[in-house]
């Protein structure tokens, strides 16, 4: 168990080209940004009505979004859905749903959960054992997990939720990457009983991280509490319009799941060819665990291919999916160059 | 002093065409929506780079926005600026900056302030006397006030802030309509001393309420606390791009201030012609106080002209500015029809 007292400080994340340029000033631009788990094939952009920008977002449109989100994610009803400008801004609000106590986060995982729980006044610790979560007032896990893709089965989650609920505790399951499955492990349909909050991210699977849209699925009373905190017009007009259209587009979603599965296979094959084993992940990112991770990170970065590293776990990398043919080729070339240099290195350094 | 114990419930606001249609089902469509104080002449829309929607908003771009906002609003520096997806979502966070205590709101005013303070755990009361605010832990006022346009001078505000600060209290000044002045009464330049939070709204003056952008101006430590609550990527990509361009466009702003001043004169003349006195307001909305307000509201509504009424103050209306020539004509015709019918009504009903 790792105590996270100082977790209120800002956390480094992937996805910043400004930081990438500072880190690799001589890299060829533009960067191939594989540092996030955001789908590079975004939902097709369309012309918004001018009123989406100029007018206050309509309450009726927000209800429509909640209906569609409930249906797409499998929540019991629209009353079980709170929409927000991204899941990120929900984290401290969700963590504040239970009185300050002991927050346990199943780690290693997305660092913002620990930070949000600390901000909400909890004593926060990271645990590496699922069963330890039962001792929490607030238990948080990401399913499938970021960055390693670890999946906890729905039955075990429901058992945990029951135990927590009996003591007034809360289980938060961040399903940010659940769009690419395995959806049978989702708790979206189970939030009606209370004591469970499921977080769903719109921007990752739909490749529209900039518009800021996310959801909390929970029992209706909890949804009302969250909505009271957000206040009216929390979701911007463009996010409403994209959310309504894209979440209703089952055809695009099904085709995209297939495409991402194929892209993931292609990425794994590419990594394998360079002698890099894939240790886990989802169909939106792959998880690498190897001694040479720091040199691989630098070698790719110097060639303008940005992957995600983790300050506290130097042997771990996360690699997103390339989008265009050019991005695939640049990744392939960068990996090949690294693999050939690696062969030349003295054995004792390579281990 | 009016106790506002039940203020956590949702509040009715202007700007909903869904509600307007329900209220006036036979009105000619589209509605002329004068129910908000949002500028009908929005900042020119432009094509966003696709990355504004697809990528996570860049930290560097957010810093740029904070620089420009500080300069435009007159805050000491970018470190005194917290950007958010609208000021609305900031209200409970700002109210939570001080320990739960006594929140006093100078009323009547924008109802969300009382609701937000109640959510933050304060005992909330509305006061109608500025001097009474000195007794608060959290004092909130809107300057210029919504809906009546009442202005409190900067010197008096600074005196209040000093008194509150000495007891660990906080003064919140919502300057949502300060873009149309009088800017010499703004506290934007005074937030460095602490104990003051100034709220600025982007969407109203720039006519882009749908993109959701607002700011809290405060001392740097308070700004950091607010930013920690919001987390990374709080401001959407489109809001970043519009904010940076529009806030830097001093020429557009100066021309728009003139235009809104002229439009306001035109609106006042139109109202006067129909025998409706203007009791106050700003150059983004006018404040009417008359016994016939309920019949005026209905008469305009039935002709598809929507103004703002207030459930708890039936003799008060707020009227925004028409945008197009057609909107002006429809307002003029609706006012004329009401004025002629009014002449026919029995005197004792008219009073």
């Amino acid at each position: 168990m790792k105590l996270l007292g100082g977790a209120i400080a800002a956390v480094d994340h992937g996805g910043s080209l400004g930081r990438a340029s500072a880190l690799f000033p001589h890299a060829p631009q533009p960067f191939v940004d594989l540092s996030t788990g955001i789908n590079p094939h975004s939902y097709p952009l369309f012309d918004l009505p001018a009123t989406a920008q100029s007018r206050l977002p309509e309450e009726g449109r927000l209800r429509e979004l909640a209906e569609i989100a409930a249906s797409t994610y499998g929540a019991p009803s629209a009353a079980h859905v709170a929409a927000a400008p991204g899941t990120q801004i929900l984290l401290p609000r969700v963590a504040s749903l239970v009185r300050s106590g002991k927050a346990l986060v199943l780690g290693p995982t997305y660092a913002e959960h620990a930070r949000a729980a600390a901000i909400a006044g909890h004593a926060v610790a990271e645990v590496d054992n699922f069963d330890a979560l039962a001792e929490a007032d607030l238990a948080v896990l990401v399913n499938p997990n970021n960055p390693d893709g670890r999946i906890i089965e729905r039955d075990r989650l429901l058992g945990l939720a029951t135990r927590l609920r009996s003591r007034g505790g809360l289980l938060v399951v961040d399903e940010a990457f659940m769009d690419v499955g395995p959806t049978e492990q989702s708790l979206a349909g189970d939030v009606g009983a209370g004591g469970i909050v499921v977080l769903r991210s719109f921007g990752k699977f739909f490749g529209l991280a900039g518009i800021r849209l996310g959801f909390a699925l929970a029992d209706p009373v909890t949804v009302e509490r969250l909505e009271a905190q957000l206040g009216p017009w929390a979701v911007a007009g463009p996010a409403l319009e994209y959310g309504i259209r894209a979440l209703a587009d089952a055809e695009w979603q099904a085709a995209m799941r297939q495409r991402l599965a194929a892209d993931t296979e292609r990425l794994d094959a590419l990594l394998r060819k360079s002698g890099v084993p894939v240790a886990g992940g989802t169909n939106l990112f792959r998880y690498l665990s190897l001694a040479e991770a720091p040199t691989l990170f630098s070698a790719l970065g110097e060639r303008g291919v940005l992957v995600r590293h983790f300050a506290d776990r130097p042997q771990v990398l996360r690699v997103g999916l390339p989008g265009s043919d050019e991005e695939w080729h640049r990744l392939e070339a960068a990996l090949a160059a690294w693999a050939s240099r690696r062969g030349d290195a003295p054995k004792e350094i390579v281990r």
Side-chain angles (χ1 to χ4, degrees), chain A:
Chain A
M1 195 184 277
K2 201 168 96 190
L3 282 170
L4 299 167
I8 293 187
V11 175
D12 180 25
H13 299 282
S16 170
L17 295 183
R19 292 191 193 189
S21 293
L23 210 53
F24 302 109
H26 307 300
Q29 303 257 355
F31 276 96
V32 178
D33 184 10
L34 311 181
S35 71
T36 76
I38 298 163
N39 182 355
H41 313 296
S42 74
Y43 190 80
L45 298 180
F46 56 87
D47 283 335
L48 295 166
T51 50
Q53 277 112 345
S54 61
R55 287 186 55 85
L56 283 169
E58 275 287 332
E59 210 180 298
R61 213 75 183 123
L62 185 64
R63 272 198 303 273
E64 222 174 306
L65 176 66
E67 295 279 358
I68 291 166
S71 153
T72 302
Y73 293 135
S77 82
H80 295 76
V81 177
T87 37
Q88 179 64 48
I89 209 166
L90 281 170
L91 301 187
R93 306 285 67 80
V94 168
S96 299
L97 288 169
V98 282
R99 223 173 270 270
S100 299
K102 179 157 69 168
L104 299 178
V105 180
L106 186 59
T109 192
Y110 183 54
E112 288 288 332
H113 287 295
R115 198 185 66 85
I119 282 179
H122 298 286
V124 187
E126 189 179 294
V127 296
D128 56 8
N129 170 4
F130 174 77
D131 295 321
L133 294 175
E135 304 304 315
D137 299 296
L138 173 72
V140 185
L141 57 89
V142 182
N143 203 38
N145 192 42
N146 173 9
D148 58 12
R150 179 208 56 225
I151 290 154
I152 310 279
E153 293 75 26
R154 176 168 165 271
D155 284 350
R156 297 182 72 194
L157 294 173
L158 290 177
L160 173 61
T162 304
R163 285 189 61 178
L164 295 175
R165 190 189 301 123
S166 68
R167 294 188 292 102
L170 177 68
L171 172 62
V172 176
V173 183
D174 180 355
E175 297 186 354
F177 296 97
M178 187 56 95
D179 304 73
V180 289
T183 49
E184 65 274 17
Q185 309 303 350
S186 170
L187 291 199
D190 303 299
V191 297
I196 301 173
V197 173
V198 169
L199 299 170
R200 299 293 298 237
S201 164
F202 176 80
K204 294 178 181 70
F205 175 62
F206 291 97
L208 292 170
I211 67 164
R212 312 309 297 139
L213 180 61
F215 301 91
L217 315 180
D219 63 279
V221 172
T222 300
V223 164
E224 270 181 32
R225 285 178 66 192
L226 290 172
E227 285 176 342
Q229 292 281 347
L230 298 171
W233 319 298
V235 176
L240 274 180
E241 297 307 315
Y242 274 104
I244 288 170
R245 190 177 297 191
L247 284 168
D249 192 343
E251 203 178 322
W252 184 92
Q253 293 166 37
M256 186 49 66
R257 271 187 205 100
Q258 291 200 334
R259 180 176 188 175
L260 293 172
D263 283 359
T264 299
E265 276 189 37
R266 182 176 172 185
L267 179 58
D268 286 4
L270 206 59
L271 290 163
R272 248 194 327 267
K273 209 174 73 180
S274 302
V276 177
V278 174
T282 73
N283 285 357
L284 281 165
F285 59 80
R286 306 309 279 164
Y287 175 69
L288 315 182
S289 176
L290 70 168
E292 303 99 317
T295 61
L296 178 56
F297 174 78
S298 300
L300 295 176
E302 280 156 16
R303 282 171 181 81
V305 176
L306 192 68
V307 301
R308 176 83 158 90
H309 70 139
F310 299 85
D312 55 343
R313 282 171 295 154
Q315 306 201 338
V316 161
L317 293 176
R318 192 186 64 192
V319 184
L321 297 171
S324 63
D325 281 346
E326 197 206 328
E327 291 195 339
W328 281 103
H329 293 146
R330 286 184 59 192
L331 172 63
E332 184 165 15
L335 278 171
W338 174 76
S340 73
R341 272 214 318 217
R342 180 203 206 186
D344 301 337
K347 287 294 169 204
E348 59 271 45
I349 293 181
V350 176
R351 193 182 62 154

